[in-house]
């Protein structure tokens, strides 16, 4: 029973914080009218959920972490055959790679690259396992409430729902391509891209600030009077609570910087914890009551946000660094280079994870 309670508490903490983090990316992307095809809690894989306004919301088979699939975030130059491939699939409704290559007068490899990029854009759907031949299809379309209201107000025809794989009328391939391109992350200027990339971190820190205001200003804390020795209940002002929040964030940021100092790196890692430590500590804090649980969630939220600031792909800070490099050099970072750097970053974090997992097992499981 204790193990189930610990797992439950960890799921609540990690699931909620990942939800608001990815929610920040999702809301920022949608605010700039960028398509988001998936919003999932858990690692990519089999999932259950529902689709609304073109986004599938759900839970995956491994509910650790989460992601919001913002379209058009792939690096490197765009395929020059996107417009023709898009028009080919839309006219046919469902088309194989070979059919698209024939329609566009290109070879199969170029057609494949263009189609896979359109899948990343959410402009066409990927082949299914049941397909005898890899077949790309037009996505299903369900008019949003805003589109219906706009049509009624302007006495226009209300857009009808269209099933996946249905042929579409393509009178102007260029207009169709531009319509799809404008819904992509890569179509945005630098500052809007930066907002989307950093929005998850901002939401994590904002939640921590709100939690500190609730704890110190709304609920209040018991403090000892240094003169009388008695304990009094004190409610700080919101400004004081926010100041305390900034002090805490600064302390965590300084601790993270210790990872880059050879003199303090080992100590910083030894004082860090993995998901095992978070699970054990979350159960302890939840057992102590609402205030302690809320403070613990705020603390983990700050750590999650600031760790994502590290300039290492695939973290948000790494993605932001790529955007800065592209802005300064005015050149796209090649996809192959981005892939290698991301693999190196994943290897680094895997090493950290294994070390801290062993450390937590020694501390919390074996009692060392």
């Amino acid at each position: 029973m204790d193990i189930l309670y610990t797992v439950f508490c960890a799921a609540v903490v990690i699931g909620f914080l990942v939800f608001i983090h990815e929610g920040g990316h999702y809301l920022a992307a949608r605010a700039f009218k960028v398509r988001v095809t998936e919003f999932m809690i858990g690692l990519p894989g089999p999932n259950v959920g529902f689709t609304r306004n073109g986004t599938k919301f759900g839970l995956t088979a491994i509910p650790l972490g989460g992601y919001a699939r913002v379209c058009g975030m792939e690096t490197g130059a765009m395929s020059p055959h996107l417009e023709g491939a898009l028009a080919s699939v839309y006219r046919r409704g469902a088309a194989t790679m070979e059919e698209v290559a024939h329609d566009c007068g290109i070879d199969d490899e170029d057609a494949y690259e263009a189609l896979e990029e359109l899948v990343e854009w959410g402009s066409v759907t990927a082949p299914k396992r049941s397909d005898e031949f890899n077949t790309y299809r037009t996505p299903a379309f369900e008019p949003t409430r805003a589109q219906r209201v706009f049509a009624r107000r302007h006495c226009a025809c209300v857009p009808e729902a269209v099933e996946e794989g249905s042929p579409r009328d393509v009178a102007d391939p260029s207009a169709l391509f531009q319509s799809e391109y404008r819904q992509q992350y890569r179509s945005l200027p630098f500052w809007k891209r930066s907002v989307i990339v950093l929005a998850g971190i901002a939401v994590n820190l904002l939640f921590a600030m709100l939690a500190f205001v609730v704890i110190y200003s709304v609920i209040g804390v018991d403090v000892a009077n240094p003169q009388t020795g008695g304990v009094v209940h004190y409610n700080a002002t919101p400004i004081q609570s926010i100041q305390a929040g900034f002090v805490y964030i600064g302390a965590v940021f300084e601790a993270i910087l210790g990872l880059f100092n050879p003199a303090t790196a080992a100590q910083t890692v030894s004082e860090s914890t993995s998901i095992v430590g978070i699970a054990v500590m979350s159960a302890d804090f939840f057992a102590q009551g609402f205030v302690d649980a809320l403070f613990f969630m705020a603390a983990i939220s700050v750590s999650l946000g600031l760790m994502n600031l590290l300039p290492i792909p695939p973290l948000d800070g790494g993605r932001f660094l790529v955007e800065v490099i592209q802005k300064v050099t005015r050149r796209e970072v090649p996809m192959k280079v981005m892939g290698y750097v991301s693999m190196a970053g994943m290897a680094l974090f895997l090493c950290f994870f294994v070390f801290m997992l062993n450390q937590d097992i020694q501390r919390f499981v074996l009692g060392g």
Side-chain angles (χ1 to χ4, degrees):
M1 185 62 69
D2 289 341
I3 294 178
L4 292 178
Y5 179 71
T6 299
V7 172
F8 170 77
C9 293
V12 170
V13 172
I14 297 174
F16 174 75
L17 296 181
V18 168
F19 173 78
I20 64 172
H21 179 92
E22 297 302 330
H25 295 308
Y26 171 80
L27 292 175
R30 296 304 299 134
F32 295 134
K33 302 188 184 306
V34 172
R35 178 181 289 141
V36 183
T37 53
E38 290 183 286
F39 184 103
M40 292 288 168
I41 299 300
L43 300 179
N47 57 74
V48 294
F50 63 93
T51 300
R52 183 176 178 81
N53 294 335
T55 303
K56 184 175 182 179
F57 300 87
L59 183 70
T60 71
I62 307 177
L64 295 175
Y67 62 94
R69 194 178 296 280
V70 179
C71 293
M73 293 192 78
E74 70 280 356
T75 57
M78 294 190 302
S79 166
H81 309 294
L82 293 177
E83 182 177 315
L86 182 64
S88 173
V89 175
Y90 271 57
R91 288 192 178 109
R92 291 176 176 269
T96 64
M97 175 184 67
E98 292 78 10
E99 289 172 334
V100 171
H102 176 268
D103 291 346
C104 298
I106 57 179
D107 60 37
D108 291 350
E109 183 176 350
D110 288 339
Y112 173 76
E113 291 179 356
L115 288 166
E116 286 300 303
E117 189 165 350
L118 290 173
V119 169
E120 290 296 320
W121 284 21
S123 301
V124 302
T125 60
K128 302 177 181 179
R129 291 183 178 180
S130 58
D131 290 337
E132 182 179 357
F133 303 102
N134 285 341
T135 303
Y136 297 83
R137 298 172 174 83
T138 54
F141 172 75
E142 180 71 30
T144 64
R145 181 180 178 183
Q147 289 174 319
R148 294 180 185 276
V149 171
F150 179 85
R152 294 192 186 99
R153 287 179 177 176
H154 293 80
C155 300
C157 294
V158 179
E160 296 182 357
V162 179
E163 295 182 355
E164 179 184 84
S166 300
R168 315 278 177 90
D169 180 32
V170 184
D172 187 344
S174 178
L176 172 63
F177 172 74
Q178 289 299 324
S179 174
E180 291 297 309
Y181 177 70
R182 285 193 295 270
Q183 299 179 69
Q184 306 305 313
Y185 169 89
R186 68 187 306 152
S187 71
L188 301 178
F190 169 75
W191 76 269
K192 289 185 177 181
R193 292 187 186 190
S194 301
V195 170
I196 293 175
V197 169
L198 300 178
I201 298 172
V203 171
N204 278 127
L205 298 182
L206 178 61
F207 166 74
M209 284 295 190
L210 292 175
F212 288 137
V213 171
V214 171
I215 293 170
Y216 294 122
S217 298
V218 178
I219 298 176
V221 293
D222 293 330
V223 296
N225 189 319
Q227 298 178 345
T228 64
V231 176
V232 296
H233 190 76
Y234 177 72
N235 291 83
T237 65
I239 297 298
Q240 290 173 326
S241 298
I242 293 173
Q243 289 174 338
F246 276 115
V247 170
Y248 182 81
I249 291 173
V252 175
F253 184 74
E254 184 178 356
I256 292 175
L257 289 179
L259 289 170
F260 300 93
N261 185 347
T264 58
Q267 180 181 352
T268 301
V269 173
S270 67
E271 294 174 351
S272 302
T273 188
S274 70
I275 189 172
V276 172
I278 293 175
V280 174
M281 289 188 290
S282 62
D284 291 340
F285 277 96
F286 271 55
Q288 294 172 30
F290 172 76
V291 173
D292 288 334
L294 182 61
F295 182 85
F296 177 73
M297 292 181 69
I300 298 299
S301 188
V302 171
S303 297
L304 175 63
L306 294 184
M307 284 296 291
N308 262 285
L309 262 179
L310 291 176
I312 304 172
L315 298 180
D316 295 338
R319 180 74 214 194
F320 179 65
L321 177 63
V322 170
E323 293 295 343
V324 172
I325 292 174
Q326 293 181 153
K327 178 67 174 179
V328 172
T329 62
R330 299 182 181 276
R331 296 176 59 185
E332 292 276 352
V333 174
M335 187 177 298
K336 184 177 294 186
V337 172
M338 189 67 179
Y340 288 144
V341 175
S342 296
M343 288 176 59
M346 289 296 293
L348 177 62
F349 278 99
L350 181 61
C351 291
F352 275 129
F353 176 79
V354 171
F355 178 85
M356 288 187 291
L357 181 62
N358 176 69
Q359 181 175 266
D360 284 345
I361 291 174
Q362 296 293 329
R363 285 190 295 196
F364 297 109
V365 179
L366 303 180

